[in-house]
Amino acid sequence: MTEVEARSTTALWTLPATELLAALRGGTVTAVAIMESVLDRVAAVDPLLHAFVEVDAAGALKAAHAADDAYRRGEAGPLSGIPFSVKDLHPVRGMRTGHGRAVRGAEPETEDDLVVERLRAAGAIPFGKTRSPEQGYSYSSMSSDGVATRTPWRLDYGAGGSSSGAAAAVAAGMGPLALGSDGGGSIRVPAALCGVVGLKPSFGRIPAFPVADAFTAPRVHIGPLARTVADAALFLHVAQGADSRDPFSWSDPMAAGLSARRPAPLRLAWTESPQGAPPVDPEVAAITGEAARRLAQALGSAPPTPSPGWGDQSEVQRVLWECGLAMRYPGPVDASCPDSLRRLVQRGRTWSMADLGAAGRARTRLFHHFREFFENWDVLMTPTCPVAGWPHDRPPGLAPGREDALLAGAAVYPFNLTGNPAITLPAGWTSGGLPVGLQLITGWRADPLLLEVAHVFEQVRPWTSRRPVLRRPDSGTGG
């Protein structure tokens, strides 16, 4: 096996966005050099990972030259020259949108997604579209063209879904920031499996547009995947705030940076495995449990108190998700759709209004459960995913005889139902070299506290110096 190395002679692709910005502002690097480094990295390693469905190198370099001109004129924006990728569910002007399907013959978009619009206005440069399962329907990393995105830590394992390409790209140095979306863990699960930061802000803090149906069971959160908490906070600062095009968006401005001070001792709770979920892999449980205890020590807090969890919410998520998919496919389902997606759409067509109403009432009860919970606790911690990964060509079945894909997200999708902010952080690595994610959740709209606590954990358990070593697999292995 031979190691795959980036063609760039610099290590700019290894740096987080905050360090790149400091170098740009200090005049020690150019936006063109950064973009060339990232594009070289994509060319070198994406043939192994399959993170991108489209890369606009010419457009990105043109924008990078414009960013350098802006710095020379003293007119640079808060993110000028920083590359970012965009999940293929979100339109980008000049690129095609496939929603996880092949887009041969499709016309390029003429307008940006609202968040892309905000990032671009701040000077950031969208350079590519990242792979996703069709309509973001699965925790699998397999898209409808039969190509799976791999985690860079083990090439025969998938990156998770549905922000599959976004997580793999950030983990492998193909851009410091990625725009993802999370309707049931679709930022947090792949971020955990790829060893990066995945932030699901409070619902509505980052507005969403275009959305075909903004009013039916809204629970999709827009957020960043990044290498550091500071980078995630930087993205959030630019992307947040109310917009008239999103009826559920709201404004509560947060400071651009992270506080250097540590929060006062906090009340910490710990749930290893909620009801209805499969047992957490022992190694994952040990890594995340130790990480939770270490965070408590760093905060000067009492050890995390075991919490019984919140009951099995899989039926609620299943009804809402399957009904939503059925509404996206009102006619015959195309033969090219994956069989698993077709089954979800067909089941979604069988749910009744009574079923939908019952799911809504259960969701309301869950919201009030956590409203009361966070009156007594400041932070809830869980393993993000019950395992550290699964082979890229298999569904995420996590218990004998139980191939239910929702099992992979039993600790994450409840907080889409409630709207609470949540973040996954790299907690450690298994003996086999796979990353393990620790999830932190805070109270309603308590995003500043969430980021402060996450930043403390990053300081006591730094992870950015550990990078995957991509190796070209032998014939028949991980190809």
Side-chain angles (χ1 to χ4, degrees):
M1 295 187 295
T2 60
E3 183 173 349
V4 177
E5 297 179 348
R7 291 197 302 268
S8 175
T9 58
T10 72
L12 291 175
W13 58 265
T14 69
L15 300 179
T18 49
E19 292 185 28
L20 292 173
L21 277 174
L24 284 164
R25 291 165 181 165
T28 60
V29 73
T30 65
V32 170
I34 293 170
M35 187 60 69
E36 287 177 339
S37 180
V38 168
L39 293 173
D40 281 350
R41 182 67 175 169
V42 173
V45 303
D46 197 49
L48 299 179
L49 299 177
H50 311 296
F52 286 88
V53 294
E54 182 176 359
V55 174
D56 180 14
L61 288 170
K62 181 179 179 181
H65 280 287
D68 286 332
D69 288 342
Y71 277 106
R72 282 190 287 270
R73 296 192 306 269
E75 298 173 357
L79 289 179
S80 281
I82 298 300
F84 73 100
S85 59
V86 180
K87 186 177 181 178
D88 191 36
L89 305 187
H90 302 269
V92 177
R93 188 177 71 246
M95 299 187 209
R96 297 169 295 177
T97 304
H99 298 282
R101 295 173 60 88
V103 292
R104 289 182 293 273
E107 292 296 321
E109 298 286 350
T110 58
E111 295 184 2
D112 283 329
D113 173 275
L114 194 160
V115 177
V116 176
E117 176 185 294
R118 287 186 172 182
L119 294 171
R120 199 194 292 265
I125 303 171
F127 69 93
K129 302 293 291 293
T130 54
R131 192 174 295 276
S132 166
E134 185 166 337
Q135 297 293 347
Y137 84 98
S138 173
Y139 295 126
S140 166
S141 63
M142 185 75 70
S143 54
S144 293
D145 59 5
V147 176
T149 302
R150 321 298 175 87
T151 173
W153 299 95
R154 180 170 170 174
L155 294 180
D156 58 339
Y157 270 42
S162 64
S163 300
S164 315
V170 171
M174 296 185 287
L177 291 172
L179 187 159
S181 56
D182 191 315
S186 287
I187 286 174
R188 289 161 290 159
V189 168
L193 300 189
C194 291
V196 298
V197 176
L199 172 64
K200 180 191 78 65
S202 293
F203 182 71
R205 182 178 283 278
I206 294 180
F209 181 84
V211 177
D213 185 351
F215 290 97
T216 303
R219 66 196 179 284
V220 176
H221 302 227
I222 310 300
L225 295 94
R227 294 178 207 158
T228 68
V229 176
D231 277 7
L234 186 69
F235 180 110
L236 181 61
H237 176 69
V238 170
Q240 69 178 336
D243 187 280
S244 62
R245 292 167 286 183
D246 181 349
F248 293 100
S249 63
W250 48 276
S251 292
D252 179 21
M254 292 172 54
L258 292 169
S259 173
R261 66 176 179 80
R262 295 191 176 184
L266 300 173
R267 301 164 298 173
L268 306 178
W270 166 257
T271 296
E272 181 178 296
S273 181
Q275 292 94 326
V280 174
D281 174 85
E283 194 172 11
V284 170
I287 290 170
T288 53
E290 193 277 330
R293 291 187 291 273
R294 182 70 181 275
L295 176 58
Q297 293 171 357
L299 291 167
S301 301
T305 300
S307 168
W310 46 82
D312 185 359
Q313 303 298 318
S314 59
E315 190 74 0
V316 181
Q317 178 72 358
R318 182 174 292 108
V319 171
L320 296 177
W321 187 238
E322 292 175 359
C323 285
L325 286 172
M327 284 186 275
R328 296 182 198 181
Y329 294 88
V333 181
D334 192 280
S336 66
C337 284
D339 290 341
S340 54
L341 174 56
R342 188 177 295 106
R343 288 193 296 271
L344 293 177
V345 172
Q346 289 169 348
R347 278 209 305 264
R349 293 171 177 172
T350 68
W351 296 112
S352 67
M353 286 300 295
D355 295 323
L356 197 58
R361 290 190 293 275
R363 182 181 182 183
T364 301
R365 290 192 295 272
L366 183 68
F367 169 82
H368 288 296
H369 168 83
F370 278 109
R371 177 184 59 79
E372 295 172 358
F373 178 90
F374 284 110
E375 290 174 357
N376 298 299
W377 303 98
D378 298 304
V379 183
L380 173 63
M381 298 179 283
T382 77
T384 307
C385 199
V387 294
W390 53 84
H392 70 81
D393 56 351
R394 298 181 198 169
L398 304 174
R402 298 179 69 185
E403 294 298 312
D404 186 347
L406 287 179
L407 294 175
V412 290
Y413 62 71
F415 305 102
N416 293 87
L417 299 174
T418 65
N420 289 73
I423 193 170
T424 183
L425 307 169
W429 276 259
T430 67
S431 56
L434 290 172
V436 172
L438 175 70
Q439 179 181 222
L440 310 180
I441 308 103
T442 53
W444 185 246
R445 298 185 177 180
D447 305 66
L449 175 63
L450 180 70
L451 290 169
E452 286 183 9
V453 174
H455 185 49
V456 170
F457 182 72
E458 184 177 32
Q459 290 174 309
V460 299
R461 292 286 292 268
W463 55 76
T464 55
S465 62
R466 183 162 182 167
R467 301 190 189 94
V469 177
L470 290 167
R471 296 182 182 276
R472 202 175 296 280
D474 293 327
S475 177
T477 304

